[in-house]
PDB file of all heavy atoms in Angstrom:
ATOM      1  N   VAL A 807     195.543  68.710  89.986  1.00  0.00           N
ATOM      2  CA  VAL A 807     195.403  68.201  88.618  1.00  0.00           C
ATOM      3  C   VAL A 807     195.485  69.419  87.701  1.00  0.00           C
ATOM      4  O   VAL A 807     194.787  70.408  87.923  1.00  0.00           O
ATOM      5  CB  VAL A 807     194.059  67.470  88.413  1.00  0.00           C
ATOM      6  CG1 VAL A 807     193.963  66.926  86.990  1.00  0.00           C
ATOM      7  CG2 VAL A 807     193.884  66.359  89.424  1.00  0.00           C
ATOM      8  N   HIS A 808     196.327  69.339  86.678  1.00  0.00           N
ATOM      9  CA  HIS A 808     196.561  70.498  85.822  1.00  0.00           C
ATOM     10  C   HIS A 808     196.390  70.120  84.355  1.00  0.00           C
ATOM     11  O   HIS A 808     197.063  69.199  83.862  1.00  0.00           O
ATOM     12  CB  HIS A 808     197.971  71.053  86.039  1.00  0.00           C
ATOM     13  CG  HIS A 808     198.327  71.245  87.478  1.00  0.00           C
ATOM     14  ND1 HIS A 808     197.683  72.159  88.285  1.00  0.00           N
ATOM     15  CD2 HIS A 808     199.247  70.631  88.258  1.00  0.00           C
ATOM     16  CE1 HIS A 808     198.202  72.115  89.496  1.00  0.00           C
ATOM     17  NE2 HIS A 808     199.141  71.186  89.509  1.00  0.00           N
ATOM     18  N   GLY A 809     195.506  70.799  83.671  1.00  0.00           N
ATOM     19  CA  GLY A 809     195.319  70.553  82.246  1.00  0.00           C
ATOM     20  C   GLY A 809     193.904  70.872  81.815  1.00  0.00           C
ATOM     21  O   GLY A 809     193.073  71.357  82.592  1.00  0.00           O
ATOM     22  N   TRP A 810     193.629  70.580  80.556  1.00  0.00           N
ATOM     23  CA  TRP A 810     192.321  70.845  79.948  1.00  0.00           C
ATOM     24  C   TRP A 810     191.623  69.539  79.592  1.00  0.00           C
ATOM     25  O   TRP A 810     192.264  68.602  79.114  1.00  0.00           O
ATOM     26  CB  TRP A 810     192.489  71.665  78.666  1.00  0.00           C
ATOM     27  CG  TRP A 810     192.814  73.100  78.890  1.00  0.00           C
ATOM     28  CD1 TRP A 810     194.064  73.662  78.957  1.00  0.00           C
ATOM     29  CD2 TRP A 810     191.883  74.169  79.088  1.00  0.00           C
ATOM     30  NE1 TRP A 810     193.949  75.014  79.176  1.00  0.00           N
ATOM     31  CE2 TRP A 810     192.637  75.345  79.264  1.00  0.00           C
ATOM     32  CE3 TRP A 810     190.501  74.237  79.147  1.00  0.00           C
ATOM     33  CZ2 TRP A 810     192.046  76.588  79.479  1.00  0.00           C
ATOM     34  CZ3 TRP A 810     189.902  75.465  79.354  1.00  0.00           C
ATOM     35  CH2 TRP A 810     190.666  76.627  79.518  1.00  0.00           C
ATOM     36  N   PHE A 832     187.977  63.762  88.679  1.00  0.00           N
ATOM     37  CA  PHE A 832     189.425  63.918  88.798  1.00  0.00           C
ATOM     38  C   PHE A 832     189.864  64.190  90.240  1.00  0.00           C
ATOM     39  O   PHE A 832     191.054  64.286  90.491  1.00  0.00           O
ATOM     40  CB  PHE A 832     189.906  65.053  87.898  1.00  0.00           C
ATOM     41  CG  PHE A 832     190.000  64.689  86.447  1.00  0.00           C
ATOM     42  CD1 PHE A 832     188.888  64.765  85.623  1.00  0.00           C
ATOM     43  CD2 PHE A 832     191.192  64.259  85.900  1.00  0.00           C
ATOM     44  CE1 PHE A 832     188.962  64.429  84.280  1.00  0.00           C
ATOM     45  CE2 PHE A 832     191.287  63.918  84.559  1.00  0.00           C
ATOM     46  CZ  PHE A 832     190.166  64.000  83.749  1.00  0.00           C
ATOM     47  N   LEU A1019     186.950  55.874  81.405  1.00  0.00           N
ATOM     48  CA  LEU A1019     188.383  56.026  81.618  1.00  0.00           C
ATOM     49  C   LEU A1019     188.702  56.166  83.099  1.00  0.00           C
ATOM     50  O   LEU A1019     189.673  55.589  83.598  1.00  0.00           O
ATOM     51  CB  LEU A1019     188.892  57.248  80.851  1.00  0.00           C
ATOM     52  CG  LEU A1019     190.358  57.633  81.072  1.00  0.00           C
ATOM     53  CD1 LEU A1019     191.286  56.511  80.638  1.00  0.00           C
ATOM     54  CD2 LEU A1019     190.690  58.925  80.324  1.00  0.00           C
ATOM     55  N   ALA A1023     191.054  53.789  85.335  1.00  0.00           N
ATOM     56  CA  ALA A1023     192.165  54.341  86.105  1.00  0.00           C
ATOM     57  C   ALA A1023     192.071  53.939  87.576  1.00  0.00           C
ATOM     58  O   ALA A1023     193.083  53.648  88.220  1.00  0.00           O
ATOM     59  CB  ALA A1023     192.191  55.858  85.964  1.00  0.00           C
ATOM     60  N   GLU A1027     194.093  50.198  85.445  1.00  0.00           N
ATOM     61  CA  GLU A1027     194.227  49.806  84.039  1.00  0.00           C
ATOM     62  C   GLU A1027     194.495  50.988  83.119  1.00  0.00           C
ATOM     63  O   GLU A1027     194.580  50.825  81.906  1.00  0.00           O
ATOM     64  CB  GLU A1027     192.969  49.077  83.580  1.00  0.00           C
ATOM     65  CG  GLU A1027     192.697  47.797  84.345  1.00  0.00           C
ATOM     66  CD  GLU A1027     191.405  47.141  83.903  1.00  0.00           C
ATOM     67  OE1 GLU A1027     190.761  47.683  82.980  1.00  0.00           O
ATOM     68  OE2 GLU A1027     191.040  46.093  84.466  1.00  0.00           O
ATOM     69  N   GLY A1028     194.622  52.166  83.659  1.00  0.00           N
ATOM     70  CA  GLY A1028     194.871  53.334  82.830  1.00  0.00           C
ATOM     71  C   GLY A1028     195.210  54.515  83.705  1.00  0.00           C
ATOM     72  O   GLY A1028     195.388  54.392  84.915  1.00  0.00           O
ATOM     73  N   SER A1029     195.285  55.682  83.084  1.00  0.00           N
ATOM     74  CA  SER A1029     195.624  56.893  83.816  1.00  0.00           C
ATOM     75  C   SER A1029     194.710  58.026  83.389  1.00  0.00           C
ATOM     76  O   SER A1029     194.405  58.190  82.196  1.00  0.00           O
ATOM     77  CB  SER A1029     197.075  57.292  83.553  1.00  0.00           C
ATOM     78  OG  SER A1029     197.355  58.568  84.108  1.00  0.00           O
ATOM     79  N   LEU A1030     194.279  58.805  84.369  1.00  0.00           N
ATOM     80  CA  LEU A1030     193.475  59.984  84.057  1.00  0.00           C
ATOM     81  C   LEU A1030     194.255  60.997  83.239  1.00  0.00           C
ATOM     82  O   LEU A1030     193.662  61.853  82.582  1.00  0.00           O
ATOM     83  CB  LEU A1030     192.991  60.633  85.360  1.00  0.00           C
ATOM     84  CG  LEU A1030     191.857  59.916  86.085  1.00  0.00           C
ATOM     85  CD1 LEU A1030     191.568  60.609  87.405  1.00  0.00           C
ATOM     86  CD2 LEU A1030     190.600  59.883  85.230  1.00  0.00           C
ATOM     87  N   ALA A1031     195.566  60.910  83.277  1.00  0.00           N
ATOM     88  CA  ALA A1031     196.379  61.824  82.469  1.00  0.00           C
ATOM     89  C   ALA A1031     196.085  61.667  80.986  1.00  0.00           C
ATOM     90  O   ALA A1031     196.303  62.592  80.198  1.00  0.00           O
ATOM     91  CB  ALA A1031     197.864  61.588  82.743  1.00  0.00           C
ATOM     92  N   ASP A1032     195.567  60.490  80.581  1.00  0.00           N
ATOM     93  CA  ASP A1032     195.240  60.267  79.170  1.00  0.00           C
ATOM     94  C   ASP A1032     194.118  61.177  78.691  1.00  0.00           C
ATOM     95  O   ASP A1032     193.973  61.410  77.487  1.00  0.00           O
ATOM     96  CB  ASP A1032     194.830  58.805  78.947  1.00  0.00           C
ATOM     97  CG  ASP A1032     195.980  57.838  79.199  1.00  0.00           C
ATOM     98  OD1 ASP A1032     197.155  58.269  79.067  1.00  0.00           O
ATOM     99  OD2 ASP A1032     195.713  56.674  79.534  1.00  0.00           O
ATOM    100  N   ALA A1033     193.296  61.664  79.612  1.00  0.00           N
ATOM    101  CA  ALA A1033     192.178  62.530  79.236  1.00  0.00           C
ATOM    102  C   ALA A1033     192.554  64.001  79.234  1.00  0.00           C
ATOM    103  O   ALA A1033     191.785  64.833  78.764  1.00  0.00           O
ATOM    104  CB  ALA A1033     191.000  62.305  80.186  1.00  0.00           C
ATOM    105  N   LEU A1034     193.728  64.330  79.764  1.00  0.00           N
ATOM    106  CA  LEU A1034     194.125  65.727  79.904  1.00  0.00           C
ATOM    107  C   LEU A1034     194.881  66.223  78.685  1.00  0.00           C
ATOM    108  O   LEU A1034     195.672  65.497  78.080  1.00  0.00           O
ATOM    109  CB  LEU A1034     195.017  65.903  81.132  1.00  0.00           C
ATOM    110  CG  LEU A1034     194.372  65.715  82.505  1.00  0.00           C
ATOM    111  CD1 LEU A1034     195.450  65.735  83.575  1.00  0.00           C
ATOM    112  CD2 LEU A1034     193.345  66.813  82.759  1.00  0.00           C
ATOM    113  N   MET A1035     194.632  67.472  78.332  1.00  0.00           N
ATOM    114  CA  MET A1035     195.468  68.182  77.373  1.00  0.00           C
ATOM    115  C   MET A1035     196.318  69.165  78.160  1.00  0.00           C
ATOM    116  O   MET A1035     195.882  69.696  79.180  1.00  0.00           O
ATOM    117  CB  MET A1035     194.611  68.898  76.333  1.00  0.00           C
ATOM    118  CG  MET A1035     193.706  67.977  75.546  1.00  0.00           C
ATOM    119  SD  MET A1035     192.855  68.811  74.193  1.00  0.00           S
ATOM    120  CE  MET A1035     194.210  69.071  73.054  1.00  0.00           C
ATOM    121  N   PRO A1036     197.550  69.427  77.711  1.00  0.00           N
ATOM    122  CA  PRO A1036     198.450  70.279  78.481  1.00  0.00           C
ATOM    123  C   PRO A1036     197.887  71.685  78.695  1.00  0.00           C
ATOM    124  O   PRO A1036     197.120  72.199  77.884  1.00  0.00           O
ATOM    125  CB  PRO A1036     199.715  70.331  77.618  1.00  0.00           C
ATOM    126  CG  PRO A1036     199.650  69.105  76.769  1.00  0.00           C
ATOM    127  CD  PRO A1036     198.191  68.873  76.506  1.00  0.00           C
ATOM    128  N   VAL A1037     198.306  72.293  79.792  1.00  0.00           N
ATOM    129  CA  VAL A1037     197.875  73.652  80.109  1.00  0.00           C
ATOM    130  C   VAL A1037     198.168  74.590  78.950  1.00  0.00           C
ATOM    131  O   VAL A1037     197.336  75.431  78.578  1.00  0.00           O
ATOM    132  CB  VAL A1037     198.583  74.146  81.391  1.00  0.00           C
ATOM    133  CG1 VAL A1037     198.287  75.623  81.631  1.00  0.00           C
ATOM    134  CG2 VAL A1037     198.163  73.305  82.586  1.00  0.00           C
ATOM    135  N   GLU A1038     199.339  74.442  78.323  1.00  0.00           N
ATOM    136  CA  GLU A1038     199.750  75.388  77.282  1.00  0.00           C
ATOM    137  C   GLU A1038     198.988  75.241  75.976  1.00  0.00           C
ATOM    138  O   GLU A1038     199.162  76.056  75.058  1.00  0.00           O
ATOM    139  CB  GLU A1038     201.253  75.270  77.016  1.00  0.00           C
ATOM    140  CG  GLU A1038     201.730  73.901  76.574  1.00  0.00           C
ATOM    141  CD  GLU A1038     202.204  73.039  77.741  1.00  0.00           C
ATOM    142  OE1 GLU A1038     201.660  73.207  78.865  1.00  0.00           O
ATOM    143  OE2 GLU A1038     203.103  72.199  77.530  1.00  0.00           O
ATOM    144  N   THR A1039     198.127  74.222  75.863  1.00  0.00           N
ATOM    145  CA  THR A1039     197.302  74.097  74.656  1.00  0.00           C
ATOM    146  C   THR A1039     196.456  75.338  74.450  1.00  0.00           C
ATOM    147  O   THR A1039     196.169  75.723  73.313  1.00  0.00           O
ATOM    148  CB  THR A1039     196.394  72.859  74.754  1.00  0.00           C
ATOM    149  OG1 THR A1039     197.160  71.728  75.153  1.00  0.00           O
ATOM    150  CG2 THR A1039     195.730  72.571  73.415  1.00  0.00           C
ATOM    151  N   GLY A1083     211.492  72.502  78.132  1.00  0.00           N
ATOM    152  CA  GLY A1083     210.252  72.020  77.541  1.00  0.00           C
ATOM    153  C   GLY A1083     209.048  72.046  78.444  1.00  0.00           C
ATOM    154  O   GLY A1083     207.971  71.571  78.057  1.00  0.00           O
ATOM    155  N   ARG A1084     209.173  72.608  79.628  1.00  0.00           N
ATOM    156  CA  ARG A1084     208.082  72.624  80.604  1.00  0.00           C
ATOM    157  C   ARG A1084     207.570  74.050  80.792  1.00  0.00           C
ATOM    158  O   ARG A1084     208.363  74.990  80.926  1.00  0.00           O
ATOM    159  CB  ARG A1084     208.572  72.060  81.937  1.00  0.00           C
ATOM    160  CG  ARG A1084     207.484  71.832  82.982  1.00  0.00           C
ATOM    161  CD  ARG A1084     208.065  71.138  84.193  1.00  0.00           C
ATOM    162  NE  ARG A1084     207.095  70.947  85.261  1.00  0.00           N
ATOM    163  CZ  ARG A1084     206.265  69.921  85.341  1.00  0.00           C
ATOM    164  NH1 ARG A1084     206.292  68.992  84.395  1.00  0.00           N
ATOM    165  NH2 ARG A1084     205.421  69.802  86.353  1.00  0.00           N
ATOM    166  N   GLY A1106     201.936  67.715  90.398  1.00  0.00           N
ATOM    167  CA  GLY A1106     200.710  66.933  90.496  1.00  0.00           C
ATOM    168  C   GLY A1106     200.447  66.186  89.210  1.00  0.00           C
ATOM    169  O   GLY A1106     201.363  65.907  88.424  1.00  0.00           O
ATOM    170  N   LEU A1107     199.195  65.863  88.951  1.00  0.00           N
ATOM    171  CA  LEU A1107     198.814  65.120  87.750  1.00  0.00           C
ATOM    172  C   LEU A1107     198.728  66.074  86.566  1.00  0.00           C
ATOM    173  O   LEU A1107     198.021  67.084  86.617  1.00  0.00           O
ATOM    174  CB  LEU A1107     197.463  64.437  87.964  1.00  0.00           C
ATOM    175  CG  LEU A1107     196.929  63.616  86.780  1.00  0.00           C
ATOM    176  CD1 LEU A1107     197.807  62.395  86.535  1.00  0.00           C
ATOM    177  CD2 LEU A1107     195.483  63.191  87.034  1.00  0.00           C
ATOM    178  N   THR A1108     199.461  65.767  85.498  1.00  0.00           N
ATOM    179  CA  THR A1108     199.437  66.567  84.275  1.00  0.00           C
ATOM    180  C   THR A1108     199.224  65.648  83.082  1.00  0.00           C
ATOM    181  O   THR A1108     199.226  64.419  83.217  1.00  0.00           O
ATOM    182  CB  THR A1108     200.740  67.359  84.097  1.00  0.00           C
ATOM    183  OG1 THR A1108     201.844  66.436  84.052  1.00  0.00           O
ATOM    184  CG2 THR A1108     200.945  68.341  85.248  1.00  0.00           C
ATOM    185  N   ALA A1109     199.073  66.249  81.910  1.00  0.00           N
ATOM    186  CA  ALA A1109     198.840  65.466  80.700  1.00  0.00           C
ATOM    187  C   ALA A1109     200.041  64.596  80.377  1.00  0.00           C
ATOM    188  O   ALA A1109     201.197  64.966  80.631  1.00  0.00           O
ATOM    189  CB  ALA A1109     198.536  66.394  79.525  1.00  0.00           C
ATOM    190  N   ASN A1110     199.778  63.417  79.803  1.00  0.00           N
ATOM    191  CA  ASN A1110     200.862  62.561  79.354  1.00  0.00           C
ATOM    192  C   ASN A1110     201.642  63.234  78.240  1.00  0.00           C
ATOM    193  O   ASN A1110     201.095  64.009  77.452  1.00  0.00           O
ATOM    194  CB  ASN A1110     200.302  61.216  78.846  1.00  0.00           C
ATOM    195  CG  ASN A1110     199.922  60.292  79.979  1.00  0.00           C
ATOM    196  OD1 ASN A1110     200.469  60.361  81.071  1.00  0.00           O
ATOM    197  ND2 ASN A1110     198.955  59.412  79.718  1.00  0.00           N
ATOM    198  N   SER A1111     202.917  62.951  78.143  1.00  0.00           N
ATOM    199  CA  SER A1111     203.735  63.511  77.060  1.00  0.00           C
ATOM    200  C   SER A1111     203.189  63.068  75.715  1.00  0.00           C
ATOM    201  O   SER A1111     202.791  61.925  75.528  1.00  0.00           O
ATOM    202  CB  SER A1111     205.186  63.051  77.204  1.00  0.00           C
ATOM    203  OG  SER A1111     205.267  61.635  77.151  1.00  0.00           O
ATOM    204  N   GLY A1112     203.117  64.024  74.794  1.00  0.00           N
ATOM    205  CA  GLY A1112     202.568  63.728  73.475  1.00  0.00           C
ATOM    206  C   GLY A1112     201.084  63.950  73.371  1.00  0.00           C
ATOM    207  O   GLY A1112     200.522  63.925  72.284  1.00  0.00           O
ATOM    208  N   ARG A1113     200.398  64.195  74.490  1.00  0.00           N
ATOM    209  CA  ARG A1113     198.946  64.397  74.449  1.00  0.00           C
ATOM    210  C   ARG A1113     198.572  65.687  73.741  1.00  0.00           C
ATOM    211  O   ARG A1113     197.453  65.840  73.273  1.00  0.00           O
ATOM    212  CB  ARG A1113     198.403  64.417  75.889  1.00  0.00           C
ATOM    213  CG  ARG A1113     196.891  64.625  75.989  1.00  0.00           C
ATOM    214  CD  ARG A1113     196.126  63.468  75.375  1.00  0.00           C
ATOM    215  NE  ARG A1113     194.700  63.612  75.537  1.00  0.00           N
ATOM    216  CZ  ARG A1113     193.906  64.277  74.692  1.00  0.00           C
ATOM    217  NH1 ARG A1113     194.409  64.839  73.633  1.00  0.00           N
ATOM    218  NH2 ARG A1113     192.607  64.363  74.916  1.00  0.00           N
ATOM    219  N   ASN A1114     199.534  66.630  73.640  1.00  0.00           N
ATOM    220  CA  ASN A1114     199.227  67.880  72.980  1.00  0.00           C
ATOM    221  C   ASN A1114     199.319  67.797  71.465  1.00  0.00           C
ATOM    222  O   ASN A1114     199.086  68.781  70.779  1.00  0.00           O
ATOM    223  CB  ASN A1114     200.147  69.007  73.483  1.00  0.00           C
ATOM    224  CG  ASN A1114     201.621  68.684  73.285  1.00  0.00           C
ATOM    225  OD1 ASN A1114     201.971  67.532  73.067  1.00  0.00           O
ATOM    226  ND2 ASN A1114     202.458  69.701  73.368  1.00  0.00           N
ATOM    227  N   GLU A1115     199.670  66.632  70.923  1.00  0.00           N
ATOM    228  CA  GLU A1115     199.657  66.485  69.475  1.00  0.00           C
ATOM    229  C   GLU A1115     198.219  66.356  69.008  1.00  0.00           C
ATOM    230  O   GLU A1115     197.459  65.505  69.451  1.00  0.00           O
ATOM    231  CB  GLU A1115     200.467  65.252  69.059  1.00  0.00           C
ATOM    232  CG  GLU A1115     201.960  65.370  69.407  1.00  0.00           C
ATOM    233  CD  GLU A1115     202.731  64.145  68.974  1.00  0.00           C
ATOM    234  OE1 GLU A1115     202.105  63.256  68.349  1.00  0.00           O
ATOM    235  OE2 GLU A1115     203.935  64.078  69.254  1.00  0.00           O
TER     236      GLU A1115
END
Side-chain angles (χ1 to χ4, degrees):
V807 181
H808 311 295
W810 285 92
F832 282 85
L1019 174 61
E1027 298 177 2
S1029 172
L1030 285 175
D1032 295 335
L1034 292 172
M1035 301 187 72
V1037 172
E1038 59 267 31
T1039 311
R1084 188 174 177 86
L1107 180 67
T1108 59
N1110 283 333
S1111 60
R1113 180 65 176 87
N1114 57 343
E1115 296 180 4

